[in-house]
Amino acid sequence: MNVLQSLKGILAQDEELAFMNILFSSSATLRAGNFGLSRKEVEKQLRITDQDEAFYSFITRINQAVGRYFQVIYDEKRDQVIAMMRVSARAARSTLSKESLAVLLFMFYQQEVLQHEFTLFDQLLSAFGHETTKANQRLLLNIDPLKKIGAVEEYDTNSLEKAYQLTAIGVNMFSDSFLRRTVEFSQSNQLSKEEVLKFFKRYNLYREGDEETQ
């Protein structure tokens, strides 16, 4: 609460209200599958229109003030402005099982690294459950928590095939340090942060012109 109180010295009244509405709309309990606000909704509350500098300054100042506890993200592809709460590894383990986390990481690799638009249920079944009894049911049980926290959503393939797509929440759930440890474990070799970020297509987080020097 002290951190939120400190926002009064950083944000204007309209900006403070917009941030609280982003927090409210990012709750899985309140918004089900419709997480966060669109950029247009946020700009309306900020009383701006198509002003990149003002919009991103708002997000940057929030993250500077409350970055230890929250992270506000704008996913341009999905047009979602969302607030994610940082939690300890112990708290995260009580939210997702190891199996659900593995499914999420598999989809993350397919969609963020290989740039697939979606992941088919049959691909998940082949990777995780084809040799176990009641594989379909077990896999659906592990996908359900991911849907409830807003990390994945069902994707319409215009066919009978079931498929899933990561949301802005799912894309940003893994910290850079987690991704580094994951890749290092799989490669049995230490890697630099830059190598890992590029592998996971996170080099777009660098400012324009920075990539050549990283």
Side-chain angles (χ1 to χ4, degrees), residues 1-7:
M1 291 303 296
N2 289 336
V3 174
L4 295 179
Q5 285 295 324
S6 70
L7 286 174

Side-chain angles (χ1 to χ4, degrees), residues 45 47 59 77 81 84 93 140 169 177 182 193 206:
Q45 294 181 30
R47 303 177 192 272
I59 293 176
K77 178 181 177 182
V81 183
M84 297 180 65
R93 284 195 294 269
L140 287 172
I169 294 173
S177 60
T182 300
K193 177 180 178 181
Y206 296 131

Side-chain angles (χ1 to χ4, degrees), residues 14-202:
D14 288 343
E15 293 178 324
E16 187 181 355
L17 180 60
F19 173 55
M20 298 307 293
N21 283 333
I22 291 169
L23 281 178
F24 179 83
S25 65
S26 297
S27 168
T29 304
L30 297 168
R31 292 288 290 261
N34 188 23
F35 296 93
L37 300 176
S38 68
R39 174 170 174 170
K40 185 175 181 179
E41 288 179 273
V42 173
E43 288 186 335
K44 182 179 179 181
Q45 294 181 30
L46 297 177
R47 303 177 192 272
I48 61 174
T49 304
D50 295 327
Q51 296 180 35
D52 283 350
E53 186 175 348
F55 176 74
Y56 287 106
S57 171
F58 164 69
I59 293 176
T60 298
R61 283 181 285 120
I62 289 175
N63 286 331
Q64 287 174 341
V66 300
R68 185 176 178 182
Y69 304 99
F70 297 97
Q71 182 181 15
V72 174
I73 296 161
Y74 175 53
D75 186 314
E76 186 173 351
K77 178 181 177 182
R78 301 166 181 84
D79 190 27
Q80 288 178 294
V81 183
I82 58 171
M84 297 180 65
M85 180 178 288
R86 298 186 187 278
V87 297
S88 65
R90 179 178 297 180
R93 284 195 294 269
S94 68
T95 302
L96 293 178
S97 66
K98 290 183 291 185
E99 291 79 9
S100 291
L101 185 62
V103 170
L104 180 61
L105 188 58
F106 180 87
M107 286 193 275
F108 181 92
Y109 176 77
Q110 274 210 329
Q111 296 176 35
E112 292 299 302
V113 178
L114 302 182
Q115 297 293 291
H116 294 177
E117 190 172 355
F118 53 84
T119 300
L120 291 170
F121 180 81
D122 284 348
Q123 291 175 313
L124 295 170
L125 194 61
S126 176
F128 293 103
H130 64 287
E131 295 178 351
T132 63
T133 58
K134 298 184 178 179
N136 283 42
Q137 183 179 356
R138 288 168 61 92
L139 187 55
L140 287 172
L141 286 174
N142 284 309
I143 293 173
D144 190 55
L146 299 175
K147 293 168 63 177
K148 286 182 177 177
I149 65 172
V152 304
E153 60 188 5
E154 292 192 20
Y155 183 88
D156 186 4
T157 60
N158 293 317
S159 71
L160 296 178
E161 292 184 288
K162 186 182 289 291
Y164 300 94
Q165 185 179 52
L166 294 173
T167 66
I169 294 173
V171 169
N172 290 280
M173 280 190 67
F174 299 115
S175 68
D176 293 342
S177 60
F178 176 87
L179 294 177
R180 185 179 70 250
R181 291 196 302 272
T182 300
V183 178
E184 287 179 346
F185 179 79
S186 66
Q187 300 294 321
S188 299
N189 187 29
Q190 287 192 338
L191 301 170
S192 71
K193 177 180 178 181
E194 286 71 25
E195 288 175 308
V196 175
L197 295 184
K198 288 182 179 181
F199 178 78
F200 282 106
K201 306 298 184 186
R202 290 200 168 190

